[in-house]
Amino acid sequence: MKTRITELFGIKHPIIQGGMHHVGLAELAAAVSNAGGLGIITGLTQRTPELLAREIARCREMTDKPFGVNLTFLPSVNPPDYPGYVKAIIEGGVKVVETAGNNPQKWLPALKEAGIKVIHKCTSVRHALKAEAIGCDAISVDGFECGGHPGEDDIPNFILLPRAAEELKIPFVASGGMADGRSLVAALALGAEGINMGTRFIATKEAPVHAKVKQAIVAASELDTRLVMRPLRNTERVLSNAATERLLQKERELGAAITFADIAPEVAGVYPRIMHDGDMDAGVWSCGMVAGLIHDVPTVAQLIAGIMDQAHALINERLAGLAR
């Protein structure tokens, strides 16, 4: 399947693995790239630029296909060593960067000079247009269904994607609610050039997370996610668990007076305990509503092949038949 996204990134299938904290390691990124998609290493999971450089080298040992690095720009009093991370990406020969969070404009000249293509994650059309204006090559349009941070506008992809298609000139992929061939065909129909999947890739054999995490996603329905940190305007969609209920109870009790410090025990530094140790109630963790469509834990190659087979069947049989 050839789209502007496959052409831009030099990949076989229009499927991107999104950056995920303590999930986007070399094992998963390489597996996705080897299966014809675009694997992504999560930059800030690596605590230092030196560790990121090592992870990039490790991924390169596992695949000769294109892969990328996610770099999220966070508002912080003590920001990460972003110049060091950018240098590690450039020196590692990475040719695709997925940016997220704050405006990446100040980092684009160095990335562009190194021949790197930049896809920026946006939860609104206005932000997507800004990313296009500053020179990003593509957009990951993140609908309200997504796991992680859906923004504050609450626009689902059935509206957000065609709106993006009306406004953008650069290619974009659909992120949030993507799980199978039906997702891909629907995204293409709505104007996207491919899909970005996060939660679906966690429930794969190669995802370097505890089996309990994968089991929790398979067991969950589309009703089992919650929105937290709404009062802080840092909304995050997470899987419902005991920590989620503790956090929501604090939000109800403190209302508009709540601060990040009040919920830090449920949010700060919890990912290693969940993803690595399988302590499922240690804190909240990002999960999309798409969990309701995830019923198994295949290999990455099986997942991507199944998506493409289903997509081609839908296009060539069901949809073609309707057009007669």
Side-chain angles (χ1 to χ4, degrees), residues 59-83:
C59 191
R60 200 167 295 288
E61 290 175 356
M62 300 181 203
T63 185
D64 59 358
K65 303 292 194 299
F67 63 89
V69 171
N70 165 279
L71 198 53
T72 299
F73 298 105
L74 302 169
S76 176
V77 176
N78 298 302
D81 180 8
Y82 286 119

Side-chain angles (χ1 to χ4, degrees), residues 87-229:
K87 182 181 178 185
I89 289 167
I90 293 171
E91 292 183 349
V94 174
K95 292 304 178 186
V96 181
V97 168
E98 178 192 56
T99 56
N102 284 356
N103 189 326
Q105 185 170 8
K106 69 178 287 187
W107 308 104
L108 290 185
L111 295 172
K112 293 286 189 176
E113 188 176 337
I116 294 171
K117 303 296 185 185
V118 176
I119 178 168
H120 187 61
K121 184 172 288 189
C122 299
T123 60
S124 69
V125 173
R126 64 186 181 280
H127 291 151
L129 285 169
K130 177 65 175 178
E132 179 179 72
I134 65 174
C136 291
D137 300 285
I139 304 294
S140 181
V141 175
D142 234 12
F144 183 58
E145 307 93 328
C146 72
H149 298 280
E152 307 301 323
D153 293 343
D154 300 358
I155 309 298
N157 267 330
F158 234 77
I159 307 301
L160 192 58
L161 296 174
R163 279 290 295 121
E166 288 178 347
E167 301 284 350
L168 293 173
K169 296 180 178 64
I170 59 175
F172 64 92
V173 298
S175 180
M178 303 295 126
D180 54 24
R182 296 170 298 186
S183 309
L184 176 55
V185 173
L188 295 171
L190 294 172
E193 304 278 346
I195 58 175
N196 176 299
M197 300 194 305
T199 302
R200 172 68 269 200
F201 275 124
I202 301 178
T204 58
K205 300 287 188 189
E206 293 90 343
V209 302
H210 200 282
K212 288 183 179 179
V213 176
K214 302 176 188 186
Q215 292 161 7
I217 291 172
V218 171
S221 81
E222 65 275 17
L223 304 176
D224 290 326
T225 68
R226 300 289 183 269
L227 296 174
V228 299
M229 297 191 285

Side-chain angles (χ1 to χ4, degrees), residues 268-292:
V270 299
Y271 268 73
R273 291 165 57 194
I274 299 164
M275 297 297 171
H276 300 165
D277 303 337
D279 184 353
M280 300 309 296
D281 293 322
V284 302
W285 55 283
S286 297
C287 181
M289 296 172 79
V290 75

